[in-house]
Amino acid sequence: KQVITQRIREAERSVIYDMFIDKEEDIVTGIVQRIDPRFIFIDLGKTEGLLPTSEALPTERIAQGDRIKVYVTKVERTTKGPQIFLSRTHPGLLKRLFELEVPEIYDGVVEIKSIAREAGHRSKISVHSNNPEVDSVGACVGPKGVRVQTIVSELKGEKIDIVKWSDDVETYISNALSPSKVISVELNEEERSAIVVVP
């Protein structure tokens, strides 16, 4: 009897592992179960995920019973069953939120080229359109800013700058510093740095 119970338990753990290994680098929604100094335990339905307190947004107060979106960073097999590590600060969370919110990104018309994130405070995301008729920045902002606003409220007011990507470095830097008007850009290829003059 004990052996059968053990096998059933192992099979269940295996099913949960398979289910979540597919969700690595993706978003899942869960409910906050309990909080200790190191981890926030998130109920993900069939199992529990671990959100290290260092991976929570510094600007949000998480309370028991809250429903939150989290990014799955790693799924590990352990003797006690699968351990699912979560994050709210990972740049991948921002990327997946844009993919979910912006159909043009999901369809591959608009591409996310890079993300710089200071979680909870501000982020810059650079985008490029593979269709000259589609404005990459406009698609991400959405009508009346509704798409980006949804993401901002999910991330508790994190400021998000959407920048038009360019393979010409000087143009790209000018775009990134918008709305400032850039007078000149002096590149240092070796140090991968630039001196930019603005009014």
Side-chain angles (χ1 to χ4, degrees), residues 7-176:
R7 289 221 176 118
I8 289 169
R9 206 167 285 148
E10 276 168 18
E12 279 171 355
R13 284 173 183 167
S14 189
V15 166
I16 292 166
Y17 177 82
D18 292 344
M19 195 169 127
F20 282 94
I21 197 75
D22 285 345
K23 294 200 185 296
E24 253 187 1
E25 298 186 357
D26 204 350
I27 290 176
V28 292
T29 303
I31 293 165
V32 178
Q33 284 296 89
R34 59 189 201 283
I35 301 165
D36 75 17
R38 286 181 56 223
F39 291 106
I40 298 161
F41 296 86
I42 312 284
D43 178 3
L44 300 171
K46 291 214 173 353
T47 187
E48 206 172 49
L50 298 172
L51 173 64
T53 46
S54 59
E55 294 288 320
L57 295 177
T59 47
E60 77 179 328
R61 282 215 171 95
I62 293 177
Q64 205 172 350
D66 284 356
R67 176 181 280 275
I68 58 169
K69 283 191 171 84
V70 282
Y71 183 77
V72 180
T73 54
K74 196 167 58 174
V75 180
E76 286 179 354
R77 277 188 202 273
T78 71
T79 47
K80 290 179 182 171
Q83 274 209 321
I84 298 142
F85 292 95
L86 310 167
S87 173
R88 292 268 294 158
T89 61
H90 198 285
L93 176 69
L94 190 59
K95 182 175 189 280
R96 287 294 292 128
L97 286 171
F98 269 97
E99 286 169 353
L100 294 170
E101 210 53 53
V102 182
E104 291 84 347
I105 294 177
Y106 185 80
D107 296 340
V109 178
V110 172
E111 211 179 317
I112 295 174
K113 286 290 191 176
S114 69
I115 291 175
R117 187 168 183 217
E118 209 178 302
H121 303 292
R122 56 172 182 237
S123 291
K124 275 190 188 286
I125 176 167
S126 80
V127 289
H128 170 69
S129 175
N130 295 316
N131 177 345
E133 288 175 25
V134 176
D135 168 20
S136 55
V137 175
C140 293
V141 171
K144 293 186 179 161
V146 70
R147 289 173 179 174
V148 74
Q149 217 35 63
T150 305
I151 297 168
V152 168
S153 48
E154 175 59 46
L155 300 177
K156 304 294 176 249
E158 188 172 313
K159 288 183 174 63
I160 300 171
D161 269 353
I162 302 161
V163 175
K164 190 175 182 178
W165 181 83
S166 170
D167 51 12
D168 174 64
V169 180
E170 292 183 26
T171 308
Y172 186 27
I173 288 171
S174 299
N175 292 349

